[in-house]
């Protein structure tokens, strides 16, 4: 009995421990011992390549039966690949990735969730998220797909540097992504020190780079402009051969050092003004010295016939004045030609200026549009972040509820177990009591049997005594009154005996119903005295 009372503890303690360990393990899984590991660097690929975006669970954890997600938030729908229990859910996937993404199914059981993207395009550039909802873990992979639209550099003559006696070359190349670098090299492959590289980013996200360099005569005249993107191993280059005599011209001729449109226009304006001034002065001078040729010179180039007439007229003049006149006419024609050329140049430049302004306005508009888009994207991101935080909170509260209910269940289980144990104890004590009462019953029965045996022996004695007495009676021929009375008494005694033994059998009968074991001895007790009684 004492052993049974201590029962509840040894029995339910191991169970409580295992429940505790289970809860700890569950917490570990929820609170994230396992981590998702992505690459530490930006992945760079060329258009048309197949790439693998690495992502795996550490420590290794079988993910072949759970939901896995690869997404890119800038897409709509954002799913690049989703699978549940190794089965891809293709319906969720963004159509632009149809048939192009896959995971390595055999690797899932080792926690390897790496994603393969086939034939990447420049549109695939972006940040990808590898996400395991059960673990609430994520990793990010940045992919850059290089543009395949890069153009070969174009080298043009930009101006002349009089101070250094060199020519200024400009190089430009467009259609690059990611941003490239621009290098100038001389014929021996040495780097030339150039001005800063100007970088422009177009609305298609592609970069245009340009740079200027001043090439001096001491440089070998075979010049190379190279544009390269190191991460993608892309490179384009163009050579230009600057003729030797070009440098001689630059050192002797009056040259333009700065070729910005405004200063160029100013110079040209000055030139025009001075030429006009010169021409007017010459004209006045001519009018004063010789009035007659003036009429002719006005239409000097109308036709060749007029020219011939004029020559004939000029022949009549004195040689010296004729020569003077011819020289004067020549000069005037030259000046007029230059004037015309200069005016043409001016018009061209003005047109270019106008174009430049238009382009500027367009670019400003584009810039504004880009800014608008940026703010929109930022707003979207903010919203997504908020919804995600909301979700996180909900999940956390659910988690809390779950652990609460688990502990509640445990408490109930403990209570049930202790109830069961008390019931067991009661049963046990009941059993013990039954055994005890049976033992007591057995004792009563054996006592009864003993009394029966003693009664039987007494009966036997009485019988013998009676037999003796009978013999004595038979031997005596006459009976005295006293003897008669004695005889009757003894007969009465003998008659009461069977009644006693019947009482005994009445006492025995209730135990007969309870215990079969006791049946046989009872029969013996019942049977013997009855037979003896009947014999009388
Ligand atoms: C995951 O699987 C890919 C494809 O088999 C493999 O290239 C990559 O190394 C694996 N990553 C890890 C962490 O095992
Ligand atoms: C200029 O140099 C490049 C290599 O730097 C070479 O390929 C090219 O043939 C050279 N051109 C001339 C005209 O020497
Ligand atoms: C670029 O070239 C280097 C060595 O030449 C190589 O290690 C690297 O993998 C290449 N990168 C790409 C993206 O092809």
């Amino acid at each position: 009995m004492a052993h049974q009372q201590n029962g509840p503890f040894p029995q339910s303690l191991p169970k409580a421990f295992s429940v505790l360990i289970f809860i700890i393990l569950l917490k570990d899984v929820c609170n994230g011992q396992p981590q998702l590991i992505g690459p530490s660097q930006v992945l760079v690929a060329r258009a048309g390549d197949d790439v693998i975006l690495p992502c795996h669970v550490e420590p290794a954890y079988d993910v072949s039966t759970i939901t896995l997600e690869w997404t890119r938030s800038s897409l709509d729908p954002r799913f690049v690949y989703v699978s549940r229990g190794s089965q891809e859910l293709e319906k969720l996937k963004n159509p632009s990735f149809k048939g192009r993404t896959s995971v390595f199914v055999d690797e899932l059981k080792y926690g390897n969730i790496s994603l393969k993207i086939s034939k990447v395009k420049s549109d695939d550039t972006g940040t990808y998220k590898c996400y395991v909802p059960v673990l609430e873990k994520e990793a990010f992979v940045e992919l850059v797909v290089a543009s395949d639209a890069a153009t070969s550099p174009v080298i043009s003559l930009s101006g002349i540097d009089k101070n250094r006696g060199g020519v200024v070359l400009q190089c430009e190349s467009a259609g690059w992504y990611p941003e490239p670098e621009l290098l100038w090299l001389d014929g021996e492959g040495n780097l030339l020190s150039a001005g800063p590289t100007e970088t422009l980013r177009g609305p298609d996200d592609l970069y245009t780079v340009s740079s200027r360099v001043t090439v001096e005569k001491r440089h070998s005249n075979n010049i190379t402009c190279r544009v390269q993107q190191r991460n993608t191993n892309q490179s384009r280059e163009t050579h230009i051969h600057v003729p030797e005599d070009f440098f001689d011209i630059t050192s002797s001729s009056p040259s333009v050092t700065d070729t910005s449109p405004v200063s160029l226009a100013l110079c040209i304006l000055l030139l025009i003004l001075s030429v006009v001034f010169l021409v007017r002065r010459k004209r006045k001078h001519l009018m004063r010295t010789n009035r007659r040729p003036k009429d002719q010179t006005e239409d000097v180039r109308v036709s060749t016939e007029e020219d011939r007439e004029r020559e004939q007229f000029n022949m009549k003049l004195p040689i010296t004045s004729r020569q003077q006149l011819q020289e004067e006419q020549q000069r005037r024609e030259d000046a007029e030609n230059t004037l015309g050329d200069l005016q043409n140049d001016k018009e061209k430049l003005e047109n270019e200026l106008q174009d430049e302004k238009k382009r500027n306005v367009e670019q400003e508009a584009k810039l504004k549009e880009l800014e608008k888009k940026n703010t929109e994207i930022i707003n979207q991101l903010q919203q997504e972040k908020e919804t995600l935080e909301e979700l996180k909170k909900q999940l956390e509260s659910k988690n809390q509820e779950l652990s609460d209910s688990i502990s509640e269940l445990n408490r109930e289980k403990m209570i049930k177990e202790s109830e069961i144990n008390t019931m067991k104890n009661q049963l046990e004590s009941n059993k013990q009591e039954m055994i005890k009462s049976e033992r007591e019953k057995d004792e009563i029965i054996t006592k009864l049997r003993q009394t029966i045996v003693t009664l039987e022996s007494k009966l036997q004695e009485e019988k013998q005594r009676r037999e003796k007495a009978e013999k004595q009676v038979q031997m005596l021929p006459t009976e005295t009154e006293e003897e008669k009375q004695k005889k009757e008494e003894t007969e009465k005694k003998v008659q009461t005996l069977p009644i006693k033994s019947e009482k005994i059998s009445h006492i025995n009968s209730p135990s007969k119903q309870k215990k079969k074991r006791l049946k046989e001895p009872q029969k013996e007790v019942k049977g013997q005295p009855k037979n003896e009684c009947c014999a009388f």
Side-chain angles (χ1 to χ4, degrees), residues 72-79 94-95:
R72 210 176 95 201
S73 59
S74 54
L75 292 173
D76 185 25
R78 65 200 162 91
F79 295 106
N94 188 299

Side-chain angles (χ1 to χ4, degrees), residues 98-317:
K98 195 176 177 208
R100 290 205 296 133
T101 50
S102 59
V103 293
F104 300 90
V105 176
D106 294 337
E107 292 276 333
L108 292 181
K109 57 177 170 289
Y110 310 116
N112 185 350
I113 317 172
S114 301
L115 179 77
K116 182 181 175 186
I117 307 182
S118 313
K119 297 200 179 95
V120 290
K121 306 181 277 196
S122 47
D123 282 348
D124 295 343
T125 292
T127 303
Y128 292 77
K129 186 170 96 174
C130 160
Y131 181 53
V132 180
V134 169
L135 302 180
E136 285 186 52
K137 291 290 159 199
E138 57 191 27
F140 292 92
V141 186
E142 205 176 329
L143 174 68
V144 171
V145 180
S147 156
D148 53 356
T151 62
S152 285
V154 175
I155 300 177
S156 57
L157 187 65
S158 168
I160 289 156
D161 188 337
K162 196 187 167 192
N163 294 338
R164 288 165 67 184
V167 289
V168 181
L169 299 179
Q170 164 149 359
C171 176
E172 184 172 299
S173 177
W176 288 88
Y177 191 90
E179 188 180 344
E181 57 187 340
L182 190 155
L183 309 170
W184 288 98
L185 307 166
D186 68 8
E188 280 93 46
N190 302 314
L191 266 176
L192 297 180
S193 70
T197 301
E198 285 174 41
T199 306
L200 271 178
R201 194 159 188 191
D204 48 4
D205 279 347
L206 299 182
Y207 289 96
T208 299
V209 287
S210 63
S211 165
R212 283 184 199 170
V213 71
T214 302
V215 180
E216 291 164 44
K217 197 181 178 183
R218 63 184 171 86
H219 294 125
S220 149
N221 49 22
N222 181 7
I223 303 295
T224 301
C225 171
R226 177 184 296 161
V227 181
Q228 61 184 34
Q229 218 305 322
R230 285 182 196 274
N231 292 331
T232 57
N233 288 357
Q234 275 182 303
S235 164
R236 297 265 150 86
E237 60 182 40
T238 301
H239 311 290
I240 190 170
H241 182 74
V242 184
E244 195 96 357
D245 46 3
F246 214 89
F247 296 102
D248 299 337
I249 295 165
T250 59
S251 47
S252 60
S253 69
S255 65
V256 190
T257 50
D258 189 353
T259 49
S260 80
V262 176
S263 46
L264 203 68
L266 258 173
C267 290
I268 287 163
L269 212 70
L270 274 173
L271 259 173
I272 291 164
L273 282 175
S274 53
V275 167
V276 167
F277 178 74
L278 264 175
V279 169
R280 281 209 178 148
R281 233 179 67 174
K282 286 287 168 190
R283 233 186 237 177
K284 271 183 191 168
H285 181 71
L286 257 178
M287 266 156 71
R288 249 183 269 135
T289 49
N290 195 338
R291 269 183 165 268
R292 286 184 70 184
K294 182 218 161 195
D295 294 329
Q296 300 278 331
T297 49
E298 273 187 349
D299 307 305
V300 101
R301 285 179 298 154
V302 174
S303 70
T304 44
E305 253 184 278
E306 271 179 59
D307 281 350
R308 226 173 291 137
E309 270 176 30
R310 194 183 57 211
E311 268 169 33
Q312 280 170 2
F313 173 81
N314 285 348
M315 292 285 272
K316 289 168 196 168
L317 290 167

